[in-house]
Amino acid sequence: MNQSVNKTTASQPEAGKVDRDAVARRLARDVEEGWYVNLGVGMPTKVADMIDGDKEVVFHSENGILGMGPGPAPDAIDPWLVNAGKKAVTLLPGSSLFHHGDSFAMIRGGHIDLCVLGAFEVAQNGDLANWTTSSDELLPAVGGAMDLAVGAKRVWVLMQHTAREGEPKLVEKCKYPLTAPGAVDRVYTELGVFEIIDGRFSIIELANGVSFEQVQALTGAPLHGN
Amino acid sequence: MNQSVNKTTASQPEAGKVDRDAVARRLARDVEEGWYVNLGVGMPTKVADMIDGDKEVVFHSENGILGMGPGPAPDAIDPWLVNAGKKAVTLLPGSSLFHHGDSFAMIRGGHIDLCVLGAFEVAQNGDLANWTTSSDELLPAVGGAMDLAVGAKRVWVLMQHTAREGEPKLVEKCKYPLTAPGAVDRVYTELGVFEIIDGRFSIIELANGVSFEQVQALTGAPLHGN
Amino acid sequence: MIDKRVASLAQALEGIADGSTVMIGGFGAVGQPDALVDALAELGIKGLTIVANNAGWSAETGIPRLMDLGLVRKIICSFPKGSTVFRELYLAGKIELELVPQGTLAERIRCGGAGVPAFYTPTSVGTPLADGKEHRDFDGRTYVMERALRADVALIEAWKADRWGNLSYRGSGRNFNPIMAMAATLTIAQANEVSTDPIDPEAVVTPGIFINRVVQVESRVEALLAAQRQA
Amino acid sequence: MIDKRVASLAQALEGIADGSTVMIGGFGAVGQPDALVDALAELGIKGLTIVANNAGWSAETGIPRLMDLGLVRKIICSFPKGSTVFRELYLAGKIELELVPQGTLAERIRCGGAGVPAFYTPTSVGTPLADGKEHRDFDGRTYVMERALRADVALIEAWKADRWGNLSYRGSGRNFNPIMAMAATLTIAQANEVSTDPIDPEAVVTPGIFINRVVQVESRVEALLAAQRQA
């Protein structure tokens, strides 16, 4: 938890060189003390390690944990305690355990302050596509993404600004099947922080050394000042 | 629990002289080991004391108890432990505690083997009227009666055969507002045991010394042999 | 540091507005947040809609006290008998009653907390309480549609609380408390024991995520015993 | 005397018919009733519909083993990735998949056990998973109607059990187990510890009313650790 360095967002826009930790750290700065936070599998899980040590945040795992702590030492693994990615975790003081019915009541009922998810695409109206890249994908799987996207008070997407081949992931309209319409509040990428306001992407901040023109060129929808 | 006497149903048909314990004892004989049983407030609560000591039955209270035992000694009252009638109770080994959401999930979900209720009227098609005696009663109250009547696997009514003025309570059609349509399986009174089969009252047994004609005269619907 | 403990009943109740819908836990006297309700009565907040199983029993305390002070516009409950105050106000047309079967009340509250806006139940079909409700058949059985219930405020009672707002209960004291805790915008718990030590994660009944404030209140054992004698 | 303990896995599984719908608890490996599932595979009961969160991970054990033996007709789940056996059968058109969002799956099961035939949820609105479902607006938001799920049999895992069938769990091992326990006609639990001593009434997570049979099975710690390494 106690990350000594407190750098701002990384400045390298090229795909493949993204400092994922820096983006996660930038997002973590905006997480408020006392929030109940669910982190999606993958890049979002990094956020847990980036929260300032003196800011108490409660991490929720949809398989029935509140107050999840970091992974255990190899000799201290509890085989019965895993996160939503099925990896070993620990419990922090103040934690609680419950079943899936109650866990998704929390999610659907609007009790989670923040959900951080990865995405294939985010549209300027907040539409989120993060569960399947095609409507006839060979083997679809959805997990809890749809419930989290509609249920959390805030949905922040943490992702690389563009896809592997450089295609924009912030778009006017998603081409992939939606996870939820109008769900996303903010997007954090290596190029900046973008808020969805009145159906368009507003720039909250740009990463150091990144110009508006650079970001706009890598974005599939018009960007606006805040 | 260990009632030494094992009399059959009392034989006195006149109102006011009914041996309520005997009727409760007769019903208790038909309760099977291992059943989960909810007893309505009033006369039905007597059934708990009439169950054979070597027959383990689990009593449910809708305010969140399974495995309810008899009332405590005056010096052993737990103020936080009451039954649905708000009276002090005890817990037997194997008991459990839960909230109202889960308690009525048990009831509505068909997990209670038997519910014993009192009634104002039972109709030959199983209609039950036991919550209010008039559709414009000054101050209505319903509690959990409707949930129990529709949810329990079996609904047995335990009551006096006739009302105070001698009016029949087993009737062709209820005149009072229903608690639930077609809910009752059996009726136990001081005159006998009656099962509802194919929309009519079938006599399972008559109390000692009671003739078919006597019972029929006090019943507002045709009785049938079994 | 997360710390949901507040030092007084007044702090616990801060910010409740006239016209609020207030859920009050408890089944009869057990699990009723008596100190919070009595402190609410002192504040004189008007036009309340109360959601509770009962309408109380004694004019000196609890829901009848709120009613006696003219603060309650409406009550949504399953069993309003036993309260002389309510009876008189109701018969005089001075208070509104929405009578709900107990299990339907519980499920409406649970759905309110779980993000489910409506559900179907067999309870009340064929009775006057289903009048005007949407009916629908599933697999040959008839059900009514019921809407979720939410509140601005929930007042609940627990046995133990920790600084994270985690709660555990005692005996039959859970009743409506855990589900009401989920269904309100502002949930306030009174607890007999409040500690900075965490409750065992396996023993938490209401996770702190549902709780906004916790206040320590010595439980009124004598009042509970008196209510039992009256039952 | 009530005693839900049975002496063997074979006794625990007695009476399951071809064509049954079987709920299987667990989230990944944790809370999965592995011994019961493997014993079910040995019985060769055919035409099963499985309800579970995952489609398993290893061909040697659990749900993939059932599938590999050709016993499964259909699976209702939220996350079927990770199982090569399922993938191959599915792509070959030899097994049916009903993909359900995880929270909707949980609530459908909970409603199945709670006597609620249908409910509304915002989850999946505007996505392909809502295609063909009834949509309805409540208070200006759109929801889909979902039907309750029930099963003929639920296989679940607990940490402790007593002779009344009361259960408690360990860590994140609750997951789907408590709600599946409620939603089946025949619920069978494997538990690491089975005792004639009762579980503390305050600590019971699944009351025995939902449980028909309990069998003691030593938990396979190594299998759990292996599954974590694979995650």
Side-chain angles (χ1 to χ4, degrees), chain C residues 107 110 116-120 134 136 138-139 143 145 147 169 171 174 202, chain D residues 107 110 116-120 134 136 138-139 143 145 147 169 171 174 202:
Chain C
E107 192 65 14
R110 194 257 172 201
V116 171
F119 64 97
Y120 292 88
E134 180 177 324
R136 184 161 173 169
F138 294 98
D139 301 330
Y143 299 83
M145 190 179 79
R147 294 297 309 275
Y169 301 84
R174 300 187 193 190
E202 305 270 7
Chain D
E107 192 65 13
R110 194 257 173 202
V116 171
F119 64 98
Y120 293 89
E134 179 178 324
R136 184 159 174 171
F138 293 99
D139 301 331
Y143 299 84
M145 191 180 80
R147 294 296 309 274
Y169 300 85
R174 299 187 195 190
E202 305 270 7

mmCIF file of all heavy atoms in Angstrom, chain C residues 107 110 116-120 134 136 138-139 143 145 147 169 171 174 202, chain D residues 107 110 116-120 134 136 138-139 143 145 147 169 171 174 202:
data_model
loop_
_atom_site.group_PDB
_atom_site.id
_atom_site.type_symbol
_atom_site.label_atom_id
_atom_site.label_comp_id
_atom_site.label_asym_id
_atom_site.label_seq_id
_atom_site.Cartn_x
_atom_site.Cartn_y
_atom_site.Cartn_z
ATOM 1 N N GLU C 107 -40.083 -8.360 1.972
ATOM 2 C CA GLU C 107 -39.498 -8.513 0.631
ATOM 3 C C GLU C 107 -39.463 -7.180 -0.113
ATOM 4 O O GLU C 107 -38.520 -6.915 -0.870
ATOM 5 C CB GLU C 107 -40.274 -9.567 -0.162
ATOM 6 C CG GLU C 107 -39.606 -10.021 -1.450
ATOM 7 C CD GLU C 107 -38.275 -10.758 -1.254
ATOM 8 O OE1 GLU C 107 -37.962 -11.167 -0.124
ATOM 9 O OE2 GLU C 107 -37.534 -10.900 -2.240
ATOM 10 N N ARG C 110 -36.406 -5.556 1.300
ATOM 11 C CA ARG C 110 -35.194 -6.212 0.804
ATOM 12 C C ARG C 110 -34.942 -5.822 -0.660
ATOM 13 O O ARG C 110 -33.806 -5.527 -1.046
ATOM 14 C CB ARG C 110 -35.360 -7.732 0.954
ATOM 15 C CG ARG C 110 -34.072 -8.522 0.791
ATOM 16 C CD ARG C 110 -34.025 -9.179 -0.554
ATOM 17 N NE ARG C 110 -32.739 -9.800 -0.844
ATOM 18 C CZ ARG C 110 -32.347 -10.067 -2.073
ATOM 19 N NH1 ARG C 110 -33.110 -9.799 -3.103
ATOM 20 N NH2 ARG C 110 -31.169 -10.620 -2.289
ATOM 21 N N VAL C 116 -33.910 -3.958 -6.892
ATOM 22 C CA VAL C 116 -34.988 -4.642 -7.616
ATOM 23 C C VAL C 116 -36.251 -3.794 -7.444
ATOM 24 O O VAL C 116 -36.740 -3.666 -6.327
ATOM 25 C CB VAL C 116 -35.201 -6.066 -7.068
ATOM 26 C CG1 VAL C 116 -36.454 -6.698 -7.659
ATOM 27 C CG2 VAL C 116 -33.973 -6.923 -7.358
ATOM 28 N N PRO C 117 -36.773 -3.196 -8.518
ATOM 29 C CA PRO C 117 -37.871 -2.233 -8.347
ATOM 30 C C PRO C 117 -39.232 -2.879 -8.097
ATOM 31 O O PRO C 117 -40.120 -2.225 -7.561
ATOM 32 C CB PRO C 117 -37.888 -1.487 -9.685
ATOM 33 C CG PRO C 117 -37.367 -2.490 -10.657
ATOM 34 C CD PRO C 117 -36.337 -3.298 -9.907
ATOM 35 N N ALA C 118 -39.393 -4.132 -8.492
ATOM 36 C CA ALA C 118 -40.693 -4.793 -8.352
ATOM 37 C C ALA C 118 -40.512 -6.293 -8.456
ATOM 38 O O ALA C 118 -39.559 -6.767 -9.072
ATOM 39 C CB ALA C 118 -41.656 -4.315 -9.427
ATOM 40 N N PHE C 119 -41.450 -7.023 -7.834
ATOM 41 C CA PHE C 119 -41.397 -8.484 -7.855
ATOM 42 C C PHE C 119 -42.819 -9.019 -7.760
ATOM 43 O O PHE C 119 -43.760 -8.270 -7.481
ATOM 44 C CB PHE C 119 -40.539 -9.007 -6.687
ATOM 45 C CG PHE C 119 -41.116 -8.677 -5.327
ATOM 46 C CD1 PHE C 119 -41.879 -9.597 -4.624
ATOM 47 C CD2 PHE C 119 -40.908 -7.429 -4.762
ATOM 48 C CE1 PHE C 119 -42.424 -9.290 -3.380
ATOM 49 C CE2 PHE C 119 -41.462 -7.105 -3.519
ATOM 50 C CZ PHE C 119 -42.218 -8.040 -2.834
ATOM 51 N N TYR C 120 -42.942 -10.302 -7.962
ATOM 52 C CA TYR C 120 -44.246 -10.951 -7.884
ATOM 53 C C TYR C 120 -44.298 -11.879 -6.670
ATOM 54 O O TYR C 120 -43.304 -12.527 -6.340
ATOM 55 C CB TYR C 120 -44.524 -11.742 -9.159
ATOM 56 C CG TYR C 120 -44.707 -10.835 -10.362
ATOM 57 C CD1 TYR C 120 -43.614 -10.438 -11.129
ATOM 58 C CD2 TYR C 120 -45.957 -10.337 -10.693
ATOM 59 C CE1 TYR C 120 -43.776 -9.574 -12.216
ATOM 60 C CE2 TYR C 120 -46.127 -9.476 -11.778
ATOM 61 C CZ TYR C 120 -45.037 -9.100 -12.535
ATOM 62 O OH TYR C 120 -45.191 -8.247 -13.596
ATOM 63 N N GLU C 134 -51.688 -5.240 -9.779
ATOM 64 C CA GLU C 134 -51.542 -5.977 -11.022
ATOM 65 C C GLU C 134 -51.387 -7.464 -10.730
ATOM 66 O O GLU C 134 -50.544 -7.862 -9.938
ATOM 67 C CB GLU C 134 -50.306 -5.443 -11.748
ATOM 68 C CG GLU C 134 -50.055 -6.129 -13.063
ATOM 69 C CD GLU C 134 -48.858 -5.511 -13.783
ATOM 70 O OE1 GLU C 134 -48.672 -4.286 -13.690
ATOM 71 O OE2 GLU C 134 -48.121 -6.285 -14.419
ATOM 72 N N ARG C 136 -50.810 -11.458 -12.227
ATOM 73 C CA ARG C 136 -50.189 -12.106 -13.373
ATOM 74 C C ARG C 136 -49.951 -13.583 -13.057
ATOM 75 O O ARG C 136 -49.592 -13.934 -11.945
ATOM 76 C CB ARG C 136 -48.845 -11.424 -13.669
ATOM 77 C CG ARG C 136 -48.161 -11.966 -14.893
ATOM 78 C CD ARG C 136 -47.135 -10.965 -15.366
ATOM 79 N NE ARG C 136 -46.338 -11.519 -16.439
ATOM 80 C CZ ARG C 136 -45.511 -10.797 -17.189
ATOM 81 N NH1 ARG C 136 -45.387 -9.491 -16.964
ATOM 82 N NH2 ARG C 136 -44.808 -11.347 -18.141
ATOM 83 N N PHE C 138 -47.914 -17.087 -13.496
ATOM 84 C CA PHE C 138 -46.667 -17.757 -13.882
ATOM 85 C C PHE C 138 -46.855 -19.249 -13.631
ATOM 86 O O PHE C 138 -47.206 -19.637 -12.503
ATOM 87 C CB PHE C 138 -45.484 -17.240 -13.053
ATOM 88 C CG PHE C 138 -45.128 -15.804 -13.305
ATOM 89 C CD1 PHE C 138 -45.578 -14.808 -12.448
ATOM 90 C CD2 PHE C 138 -44.363 -15.436 -14.411
ATOM 91 C CE1 PHE C 138 -45.257 -13.481 -12.681
ATOM 92 C CE2 PHE C 138 -44.037 -14.117 -14.642
ATOM 93 C CZ PHE C 138 -44.478 -13.134 -13.786
ATOM 94 N N ASP C 139 -46.619 -20.057 -14.654
ATOM 95 C CA ASP C 139 -46.735 -21.510 -14.514
ATOM 96 C C ASP C 139 -48.042 -21.916 -13.834
ATOM 97 O O ASP C 139 -48.061 -22.796 -12.960
ATOM 98 C CB ASP C 139 -45.536 -22.063 -13.719
ATOM 99 C CG ASP C 139 -44.214 -21.747 -14.403
ATOM 100 O OD1 ASP C 139 -44.210 -21.647 -15.649
ATOM 101 O OD2 ASP C 139 -43.199 -21.582 -13.707
ATOM 102 N N TYR C 143 -50.149 -14.442 -9.194
ATOM 103 C CA TYR C 143 -49.338 -13.625 -8.283
ATOM 104 C C TYR C 143 -49.744 -12.154 -8.416
ATOM 105 O O TYR C 143 -50.340 -11.758 -9.406
ATOM 106 C CB TYR C 143 -47.855 -13.761 -8.645
ATOM 107 C CG TYR C 143 -47.313 -15.168 -8.528
ATOM 108 C CD1 TYR C 143 -47.478 -16.093 -9.571
ATOM 109 C CD2 TYR C 143 -46.644 -15.590 -7.391
ATOM 110 C CE1 TYR C 143 -46.993 -17.393 -9.468
ATOM 111 C CE2 TYR C 143 -46.144 -16.878 -7.279
ATOM 112 C CZ TYR C 143 -46.321 -17.770 -8.321
ATOM 113 O OH TYR C 143 -45.830 -19.044 -8.217
ATOM 114 N N MET C 145 -48.107 -8.147 -8.361
ATOM 115 C CA MET C 145 -46.843 -7.428 -8.430
ATOM 116 C C MET C 145 -46.757 -6.462 -7.261
ATOM 117 O O MET C 145 -47.714 -5.765 -6.941
ATOM 118 C CB MET C 145 -46.719 -6.653 -9.745
ATOM 119 C CG MET C 145 -45.307 -6.090 -9.937
ATOM 120 S SD MET C 145 -45.101 -5.186 -11.485
ATOM 121 C CE MET C 145 -45.864 -3.641 -11.040
ATOM 122 N N ARG C 147 -44.208 -3.428 -5.391
ATOM 123 C CA ARG C 147 -43.109 -2.503 -5.625
ATOM 124 C C ARG C 147 -42.147 -2.488 -4.438
ATOM 125 O O ARG C 147 -42.547 -2.684 -3.291
ATOM 126 C CB ARG C 147 -43.662 -1.077 -5.834
ATOM 127 C CG ARG C 147 -44.490 -0.892 -7.094
ATOM 128 C CD ARG C 147 -43.699 -1.114 -8.362
ATOM 129 N NE ARG C 147 -42.464 -0.341 -8.380
ATOM 130 C CZ ARG C 147 -42.368 0.929 -8.776
ATOM 131 N NH1 ARG C 147 -43.434 1.557 -9.236
ATOM 132 N NH2 ARG C 147 -41.211 1.568 -8.744
ATOM 133 N N TYR C 169 -26.198 -8.979 15.879
ATOM 134 C CA TYR C 169 -27.450 -8.821 16.610
ATOM 135 C C TYR C 169 -27.526 -9.844 17.736
ATOM 136 O O TYR C 169 -26.659 -10.688 17.882
ATOM 137 C CB TYR C 169 -28.632 -8.974 15.647
ATOM 138 C CG TYR C 169 -28.601 -7.954 14.522
ATOM 139 C CD1 TYR C 169 -27.842 -8.181 13.363
ATOM 140 C CD2 TYR C 169 -29.298 -6.765 14.618
ATOM 141 C CE1 TYR C 169 -27.801 -7.235 12.340
ATOM 142 C CE2 TYR C 169 -29.258 -5.818 13.605
ATOM 143 C CZ TYR C 169 -28.512 -6.060 12.469
ATOM 144 O OH TYR C 169 -28.459 -5.139 11.456
ATOM 145 N N GLY C 171 -30.185 -12.674 19.640
ATOM 146 C CA GLY C 171 -31.458 -13.391 19.701
ATOM 147 C C GLY C 171 -32.328 -13.121 18.491
ATOM 148 O O GLY C 171 -31.878 -13.190 17.345
ATOM 149 N N ARG C 174 -32.649 -9.508 15.141
ATOM 150 C CA ARG C 174 -32.370 -9.162 13.745
ATOM 151 C C ARG C 174 -33.634 -8.645 13.062
ATOM 152 O O ARG C 174 -33.642 -7.571 12.493
ATOM 153 C CB ARG C 174 -31.860 -10.397 12.973
ATOM 154 C CG ARG C 174 -30.596 -10.961 13.545
ATOM 155 C CD ARG C 174 -30.006 -12.062 12.672
ATOM 156 N NE ARG C 174 -28.965 -12.792 13.417
ATOM 157 C CZ ARG C 174 -28.138 -13.671 12.902
ATOM 158 N NH1 ARG C 174 -28.206 -13.987 11.630
ATOM 159 N NH2 ARG C 174 -27.230 -14.272 13.650
ATOM 160 N N GLU C 202 -16.564 -13.391 9.894
ATOM 161 C CA GLU C 202 -17.548 -14.469 9.691
ATOM 162 C C GLU C 202 -18.826 -14.208 10.487
ATOM 163 O O GLU C 202 -19.871 -14.803 10.219
ATOM 164 C CB GLU C 202 -16.972 -15.832 10.153
ATOM 165 C CG GLU C 202 -15.654 -16.233 9.524
ATOM 166 C CD GLU C 202 -15.811 -17.031 8.235
ATOM 167 O OE1 GLU C 202 -16.943 -17.166 7.739
ATOM 168 O OE2 GLU C 202 -14.773 -17.510 7.727
ATOM 169 N N GLU D 107 -29.684 -13.608 -8.175
ATOM 170 C CA GLU D 107 -31.024 -13.192 -7.755
ATOM 171 C C GLU D 107 -32.096 -14.152 -8.260
ATOM 172 O O GLU D 107 -33.090 -14.401 -7.570
ATOM 173 C CB GLU D 107 -31.299 -11.765 -8.228
ATOM 174 C CG GLU D 107 -32.524 -11.113 -7.614
ATOM 175 C CD GLU D 107 -32.434 -10.881 -6.106
ATOM 176 O OE1 GLU D 107 -31.337 -10.986 -5.523
ATOM 177 O OE2 GLU D 107 -33.482 -10.606 -5.492
ATOM 178 N N ARG D 110 -31.930 -16.922 -5.755
ATOM 179 C CA ARG D 110 -32.486 -16.489 -4.469
ATOM 180 C C ARG D 110 -34.025 -16.433 -4.545
ATOM 181 O O ARG D 110 -34.711 -16.886 -3.636
ATOM 182 C CB ARG D 110 -31.893 -15.132 -4.100
ATOM 183 C CG ARG D 110 -32.117 -14.713 -2.658
ATOM 184 C CD ARG D 110 -33.205 -13.685 -2.562
ATOM 185 N NE ARG D 110 -33.576 -13.357 -1.210
ATOM 186 C CZ ARG D 110 -34.756 -12.828 -0.899
ATOM 187 N NH1 ARG D 110 -35.636 -12.577 -1.829
ATOM 188 N NH2 ARG D 110 -35.045 -12.550 0.347
ATOM 189 N N VAL D 116 -40.583 -16.312 -5.028
ATOM 190 C CA VAL D 116 -40.825 -15.163 -5.906
ATOM 191 C C VAL D 116 -40.612 -15.639 -7.336
ATOM 192 O O VAL D 116 -39.488 -15.998 -7.698
ATOM 193 C CB VAL D 116 -39.869 -14.001 -5.559
ATOM 194 C CG1 VAL D 116 -39.945 -12.891 -6.601
ATOM 195 C CG2 VAL D 116 -40.175 -13.456 -4.166
ATOM 196 N N PRO D 117 -41.662 -15.671 -8.176
ATOM 197 C CA PRO D 117 -41.522 -16.293 -9.498
ATOM 198 C C PRO D 117 -40.792 -15.428 -10.519
ATOM 199 O O PRO D 117 -40.260 -15.943 -11.484
ATOM 200 C CB PRO D 117 -42.974 -16.517 -9.933
ATOM 201 C CG PRO D 117 -43.725 -15.409 -9.245
ATOM 202 C CD PRO D 117 -43.038 -15.224 -7.908
ATOM 203 N N ALA D 118 -40.777 -14.112 -10.287
ATOM 204 C CA ALA D 118 -40.168 -13.213 -11.269
ATOM 205 C C ALA D 118 -39.886 -11.871 -10.614
ATOM 206 O O ALA D 118 -40.544 -11.490 -9.641
ATOM 207 C CB ALA D 118 -41.085 -13.022 -12.471
ATOM 208 N N PHE D 119 -38.898 -11.160 -11.157
ATOM 209 C CA PHE D 119 -38.521 -9.847 -10.619
ATOM 210 C C PHE D 119 -37.955 -9.004 -11.761
ATOM 211 O O PHE D 119 -37.675 -9.515 -12.850
ATOM 212 C CB PHE D 119 -37.481 -10.013 -9.498
ATOM 213 C CG PHE D 119 -36.176 -10.601 -9.967
ATOM 214 C CD1 PHE D 119 -35.078 -9.798 -10.269
ATOM 215 C CD2 PHE D 119 -36.039 -11.968 -10.152
ATOM 216 C CE1 PHE D 119 -33.878 -10.341 -10.726
ATOM 217 C CE2 PHE D 119 -34.844 -12.521 -10.616
ATOM 218 C CZ PHE D 119 -33.767 -11.707 -10.894
ATOM 219 N N TYR D 120 -37.765 -7.753 -11.486
ATOM 220 C CA TYR D 120 -37.208 -6.829 -12.480
ATOM 221 C C TYR D 120 -35.815 -6.389 -12.060
ATOM 222 O O TYR D 120 -35.556 -6.172 -10.872
ATOM 223 C CB TYR D 120 -38.126 -5.621 -12.642
ATOM 224 C CG TYR D 120 -39.456 -5.994 -13.262
ATOM 225 C CD1 TYR D 120 -40.537 -6.380 -12.467
ATOM 226 C CD2 TYR D 120 -39.625 -5.998 -14.642
ATOM 227 C CE1 TYR D 120 -41.751 -6.748 -13.029
ATOM 228 C CE2 TYR D 120 -40.833 -6.369 -15.216
ATOM 229 C CZ TYR D 120 -41.897 -6.741 -14.413
ATOM 230 O OH TYR D 120 -43.088 -7.114 -14.981
ATOM 231 N N GLU D 134 -38.857 -9.318 -21.558
ATOM 232 C CA GLU D 134 -39.854 -8.267 -21.344
ATOM 233 C C GLU D 134 -39.207 -7.068 -20.664
ATOM 234 O O GLU D 134 -38.555 -7.218 -19.630
ATOM 235 C CB GLU D 134 -40.966 -8.846 -20.469
ATOM 236 C CG GLU D 134 -42.049 -7.853 -20.163
ATOM 237 C CD GLU D 134 -43.156 -8.489 -19.344
ATOM 238 O OE1 GLU D 134 -43.465 -9.685 -19.569
ATOM 239 O OE2 GLU D 134 -43.710 -7.801 -18.463
ATOM 240 N N ARG D 136 -39.637 -3.125 -18.991
ATOM 241 C CA ARG D 136 -40.670 -2.324 -18.330
ATOM 242 C C ARG D 136 -40.019 -1.167 -17.579
ATOM 243 O O ARG D 136 -38.963 -1.334 -16.973
ATOM 244 C CB ARG D 136 -41.426 -3.222 -17.345
ATOM 245 C CG ARG D 136 -42.574 -2.516 -16.667
ATOM 246 C CD ARG D 136 -43.543 -3.542 -16.147
ATOM 247 N NE ARG D 136 -44.577 -2.919 -15.364
ATOM 248 C CZ ARG D 136 -45.650 -3.540 -14.931
ATOM 249 N NH1 ARG D 136 -45.828 -4.825 -15.216
ATOM 250 N NH2 ARG D 136 -46.562 -2.916 -14.222
ATOM 251 N N PHE D 138 -39.924 1.584 -14.584
ATOM 252 C CA PHE D 138 -40.384 1.966 -13.244
ATOM 253 C C PHE D 138 -39.693 3.283 -12.886
ATOM 254 O O PHE D 138 -38.458 3.354 -12.924
ATOM 255 C CB PHE D 138 -40.027 0.898 -12.203
ATOM 256 C CG PHE D 138 -40.743 -0.404 -12.381
ATOM 257 C CD1 PHE D 138 -40.111 -1.468 -13.002
ATOM 258 C CD2 PHE D 138 -42.043 -0.578 -11.940
ATOM 259 C CE1 PHE D 138 -40.759 -2.679 -13.184
ATOM 260 C CE2 PHE D 138 -42.705 -1.781 -12.119
ATOM 261 C CZ PHE D 138 -42.058 -2.839 -12.736
ATOM 262 N N ASP D 139 -40.471 4.280 -12.538
ATOM 263 C CA ASP D 139 -39.914 5.573 -12.139
ATOM 264 C C ASP D 139 -38.868 6.078 -13.136
ATOM 265 O O ASP D 139 -37.819 6.596 -12.739
ATOM 266 C CB ASP D 139 -39.294 5.479 -10.729
ATOM 267 C CG ASP D 139 -40.339 5.057 -9.697
ATOM 268 O OD1 ASP D 139 -41.527 5.354 -9.895
ATOM 269 O OD2 ASP D 139 -39.948 4.417 -8.701
ATOM 270 N N TYR D 143 -36.117 -1.630 -17.002
ATOM 271 C CA TYR D 143 -35.686 -2.892 -16.384
ATOM 272 C C TYR D 143 -36.123 -4.061 -17.271
ATOM 273 O O TYR D 143 -37.017 -3.917 -18.095
ATOM 274 C CB TYR D 143 -36.332 -3.049 -15.007
ATOM 275 C CG TYR D 143 -35.961 -1.963 -14.015
ATOM 276 C CD1 TYR D 143 -36.637 -0.744 -13.991
ATOM 277 C CD2 TYR D 143 -34.930 -2.157 -13.100
ATOM 278 C CE1 TYR D 143 -36.288 0.261 -13.087
ATOM 279 C CE2 TYR D 143 -34.586 -1.156 -12.191
ATOM 280 C CZ TYR D 143 -35.266 0.038 -12.195
ATOM 281 O OH TYR D 143 -34.920 1.021 -11.297
ATOM 282 N N MET D 145 -37.543 -8.129 -17.063
ATOM 283 C CA MET D 145 -38.099 -9.115 -16.144
ATOM 284 C C MET D 145 -37.282 -10.402 -16.225
ATOM 285 O O MET D 145 -36.950 -10.860 -17.311
ATOM 286 C CB MET D 145 -39.560 -9.408 -16.463
ATOM 287 C CG MET D 145 -40.238 -10.223 -15.372
ATOM 288 S SD MET D 145 -41.977 -10.576 -15.714
ATOM 289 C CE MET D 145 -41.805 -11.954 -16.842
ATOM 290 N N ARG D 147 -36.960 -14.465 -14.617
ATOM 291 C CA ARG D 147 -37.685 -15.535 -13.935
ATOM 292 C C ARG D 147 -36.806 -16.207 -12.892
ATOM 293 O O ARG D 147 -35.589 -16.308 -13.056
ATOM 294 C CB ARG D 147 -38.157 -16.589 -14.955
ATOM 295 C CG ARG D 147 -39.199 -16.090 -15.949
ATOM 296 C CD ARG D 147 -40.514 -15.698 -15.279
ATOM 297 N NE ARG D 147 -41.009 -16.734 -14.403
ATOM 298 C CZ ARG D 147 -41.764 -17.766 -14.788
ATOM 299 N NH1 ARG D 147 -42.135 -17.865 -16.045
ATOM 300 N NH2 ARG D 147 -42.172 -18.670 -13.917
ATOM 301 N N TYR D 169 -19.713 -21.516 6.809
ATOM 302 C CA TYR D 169 -18.785 -21.565 5.686
ATOM 303 C C TYR D 169 -17.429 -21.003 6.105
ATOM 304 O O TYR D 169 -17.257 -20.538 7.228
ATOM 305 C CB TYR D 169 -19.360 -20.779 4.505
ATOM 306 C CG TYR D 169 -20.693 -21.334 4.045
ATOM 307 C CD1 TYR D 169 -21.886 -20.945 4.671
ATOM 308 C CD2 TYR D 169 -20.769 -22.263 3.027
ATOM 309 C CE1 TYR D 169 -23.118 -21.470 4.266
ATOM 310 C CE2 TYR D 169 -21.996 -22.789 2.613
ATOM 311 C CZ TYR D 169 -23.157 -22.385 3.234
ATOM 312 O OH TYR D 169 -24.360 -22.903 2.827
ATOM 313 N N GLY D 171 -14.274 -18.352 4.814
ATOM 314 C CA GLY D 171 -13.728 -17.373 3.878
ATOM 315 C C GLY D 171 -14.725 -16.971 2.808
ATOM 316 O O GLY D 171 -15.881 -16.643 3.101
ATOM 317 N N ARG D 174 -18.761 -19.019 0.868
ATOM 318 C CA ARG D 174 -20.230 -18.948 0.834
ATOM 319 C C ARG D 174 -20.720 -18.857 -0.609
ATOM 320 O O ARG D 174 -21.526 -19.641 -1.052
ATOM 321 C CB ARG D 174 -20.729 -17.717 1.617
ATOM 322 C CG ARG D 174 -20.336 -17.762 3.073
ATOM 323 C CD ARG D 174 -20.967 -16.632 3.883
ATOM 324 N NE ARG D 174 -20.303 -16.500 5.186
ATOM 325 C CZ ARG D 174 -20.735 -15.747 6.181
ATOM 326 N NH1 ARG D 174 -21.828 -15.020 6.046
ATOM 327 N NH2 ARG D 174 -20.086 -15.693 7.331
ATOM 328 N N GLU D 202 -26.311 -18.218 16.474
ATOM 329 C CA GLU D 202 -25.968 -16.912 15.893
ATOM 330 C C GLU D 202 -25.005 -17.066 14.717
ATOM 331 O O GLU D 202 -24.859 -16.149 13.906
ATOM 332 C CB GLU D 202 -25.299 -16.002 16.949
ATOM 333 C CG GLU D 202 -26.071 -15.790 18.234
ATOM 334 C CD GLU D 202 -27.017 -14.589 18.186
ATOM 335 O OE1 GLU D 202 -27.179 -13.991 17.105
ATOM 336 O OE2 GLU D 202 -27.604 -14.274 19.243
#
